[in-house]
PDB file of all heavy atoms in Angstrom:
ATOM      1  N   GLY A 226      -6.219   4.849 -14.048  1.00 94.00           N
ATOM      2  CA  GLY A 226      -5.486   4.644 -15.291  1.00 94.00           C
ATOM      3  C   GLY A 226      -5.885   3.386 -16.037  1.00 94.00           C
ATOM      4  O   GLY A 226      -5.551   3.230 -17.215  1.00 94.00           O
ATOM      5  N   GLN A 227      -6.603   2.484 -15.365  1.00 92.00           N
ATOM      6  CA  GLN A 227      -7.038   1.243 -15.991  1.00 92.00           C
ATOM      7  C   GLN A 227      -8.521   1.257 -16.346  1.00 92.00           C
ATOM      8  O   GLN A 227      -9.065   0.241 -16.776  1.00 92.00           O
ATOM      9  CB  GLN A 227      -6.761   0.073 -15.040  1.00 92.00           C
ATOM     10  CG  GLN A 227      -5.297  -0.061 -14.650  1.00 92.00           C
ATOM     11  CD  GLN A 227      -5.082  -1.136 -13.601  1.00 92.00           C
ATOM     12  OE1 GLN A 227      -5.306  -2.318 -13.847  1.00 92.00           O
ATOM     13  NE2 GLN A 227      -4.666  -0.729 -12.414  1.00 92.00           N
ATOM     14  N   ILE A 228      -9.168   2.394 -16.162  1.00 91.00           N
ATOM     15  CA  ILE A 228     -10.609   2.516 -16.402  1.00 91.00           C
ATOM     16  C   ILE A 228     -10.838   3.337 -17.661  1.00 91.00           C
ATOM     17  O   ILE A 228     -10.263   4.430 -17.802  1.00 91.00           O
ATOM     18  CB  ILE A 228     -11.302   3.169 -15.188  1.00 91.00           C
ATOM     19  CG1 ILE A 228     -11.309   2.189 -14.006  1.00 91.00           C
ATOM     20  CG2 ILE A 228     -12.723   3.604 -15.526  1.00 91.00           C
ATOM     21  CD1 ILE A 228     -11.888   2.772 -12.726  1.00 91.00           C
ATOM     22  N   ASP A 229     -11.649   2.824 -18.575  1.00 90.00           N
ATOM     23  CA  ASP A 229     -11.871   3.520 -19.839  1.00 90.00           C
ATOM     24  C   ASP A 229     -13.230   4.206 -19.907  1.00 90.00           C
ATOM     25  O   ASP A 229     -13.742   4.474 -20.994  1.00 90.00           O
ATOM     26  CB  ASP A 229     -11.703   2.550 -21.012  1.00 90.00           C
ATOM     27  CG  ASP A 229     -12.695   1.389 -20.963  1.00 90.00           C
ATOM     28  OD1 ASP A 229     -13.484   1.315 -19.997  1.00 90.00           O
ATOM     29  OD2 ASP A 229     -12.678   0.559 -21.899  1.00 90.00           O
ATOM     30  N   ILE A 230     -13.823   4.486 -18.732  1.00 94.00           N
ATOM     31  CA  ILE A 230     -15.051   5.266 -18.676  1.00 94.00           C
ATOM     32  C   ILE A 230     -14.792   6.512 -17.838  1.00 94.00           C
ATOM     33  O   ILE A 230     -13.808   6.566 -17.080  1.00 94.00           O
ATOM     34  CB  ILE A 230     -16.235   4.453 -18.087  1.00 94.00           C
ATOM     35  CG1 ILE A 230     -15.913   3.950 -16.672  1.00 94.00           C
ATOM     36  CG2 ILE A 230     -16.598   3.303 -19.008  1.00 94.00           C
ATOM     37  CD1 ILE A 230     -17.070   3.212 -15.997  1.00 94.00           C
ATOM     38  N   PRO A 231     -15.625   7.557 -17.964  1.00 96.00           N
ATOM     39  CA  PRO A 231     -15.378   8.787 -17.206  1.00 96.00           C
ATOM     40  C   PRO A 231     -15.354   8.549 -15.696  1.00 96.00           C
ATOM     41  O   PRO A 231     -16.033   7.649 -15.180  1.00 96.00           O
ATOM     42  CB  PRO A 231     -16.565   9.674 -17.602  1.00 96.00           C
ATOM     43  CG  PRO A 231     -17.009   9.166 -18.923  1.00 96.00           C
ATOM     44  CD  PRO A 231     -16.773   7.680 -18.878  1.00 96.00           C
ATOM     45  N   ILE A 232     -14.577   9.380 -14.997  1.00 96.00           N
ATOM     46  CA  ILE A 232     -14.383   9.233 -13.558  1.00 96.00           C
ATOM     47  C   ILE A 232     -14.889  10.461 -12.832  1.00 96.00           C
ATOM     48  O   ILE A 232     -14.672  11.602 -13.262  1.00 96.00           O
ATOM     49  CB  ILE A 232     -12.881   9.009 -13.242  1.00 96.00           C
ATOM     50  CG1 ILE A 232     -12.454   7.620 -13.726  1.00 96.00           C
ATOM     51  CG2 ILE A 232     -12.584   9.183 -11.751  1.00 96.00           C
ATOM     52  CD1 ILE A 232     -10.974   7.405 -13.729  1.00 96.00           C
ATOM     53  N   VAL A 233     -15.565  10.202 -11.708  1.00 97.00           N
ATOM     54  CA  VAL A 233     -15.983  11.250 -10.777  1.00 97.00           C
ATOM     55  C   VAL A 233     -15.315  10.959  -9.443  1.00 97.00           C
ATOM     56  O   VAL A 233     -15.467   9.865  -8.896  1.00 97.00           O
ATOM     57  CB  VAL A 233     -17.522  11.271 -10.609  1.00 97.00           C
ATOM     58  CG1 VAL A 233     -17.920  12.239  -9.498  1.00 97.00           C
ATOM     59  CG2 VAL A 233     -18.194  11.662 -11.914  1.00 97.00           C
ATOM     60  N   VAL A 234     -14.561  11.910  -8.917  1.00 98.00           N
ATOM     61  CA  VAL A 234     -13.956  11.748  -7.600  1.00 98.00           C
ATOM     62  C   VAL A 234     -14.943  12.267  -6.562  1.00 98.00           C
ATOM     63  O   VAL A 234     -15.486  13.361  -6.693  1.00 98.00           O
ATOM     64  CB  VAL A 234     -12.622  12.509  -7.487  1.00 98.00           C
ATOM     65  CG1 VAL A 234     -11.995  12.296  -6.104  1.00 98.00           C
ATOM     66  CG2 VAL A 234     -11.658  12.051  -8.573  1.00 98.00           C
ATOM     67  N   SER A 235     -15.165  11.460  -5.528  1.00 96.00           N
ATOM     68  CA  SER A 235     -16.160  11.816  -4.522  1.00 96.00           C
ATOM     69  C   SER A 235     -15.569  11.656  -3.133  1.00 96.00           C
ATOM     70  O   SER A 235     -14.524  11.024  -2.946  1.00 96.00           O
ATOM     71  CB  SER A 235     -17.398  10.928  -4.682  1.00 96.00           C
ATOM     72  OG  SER A 235     -18.474  11.400  -3.911  1.00 96.00           O
ATOM     73  N   SER A 236     -16.229  12.234  -2.138  1.00 94.00           N
ATOM     74  CA  SER A 236     -15.762  12.132  -0.759  1.00 94.00           C
ATOM     75  C   SER A 236     -16.467  10.984  -0.053  1.00 94.00           C
ATOM     76  O   SER A 236     -17.489  10.476  -0.509  1.00 94.00           O
ATOM     77  CB  SER A 236     -16.007  13.436  -0.002  1.00 94.00           C
ATOM     78  OG  SER A 236     -17.310  13.471   0.528  1.00 94.00           O
ATOM     79  N   ALA A 237     -15.902  10.586   1.072  1.00 90.00           N
ATOM     80  CA  ALA A 237     -16.517   9.561   1.920  1.00 90.00           C
ATOM     81  C   ALA A 237     -16.921  10.207   3.237  1.00 90.00           C
ATOM     82  O   ALA A 237     -16.577   9.736   4.314  1.00 90.00           O
ATOM     83  CB  ALA A 237     -15.542   8.416   2.149  1.00 90.00           C
ATOM     84  N   LEU A 238     -17.655  11.317   3.125  1.00 91.00           N
ATOM     85  CA  LEU A 238     -18.056  12.128   4.277  1.00 91.00           C
ATOM     86  C   LEU A 238     -16.810  12.549   5.060  1.00 91.00           C
ATOM     87  O   LEU A 238     -16.699  12.360   6.261  1.00 91.00           O
ATOM     88  CB  LEU A 238     -19.055  11.374   5.157  1.00 91.00           C
ATOM     89  CG  LEU A 238     -19.912  12.235   6.105  1.00 91.00           C
ATOM     90  CD1 LEU A 238     -20.656  13.302   5.328  1.00 91.00           C
ATOM     91  CD2 LEU A 238     -20.896  11.370   6.864  1.00 91.00           C
TER      92      LEU A 238
END
Side-chain angles (χ1 to χ4, degrees):
Q227 302 174 65
I228 289 176
D229 61 358
I230 58 177
I232 290 168
V233 172
V234 181
S235 191
S236 85
L238 200 56

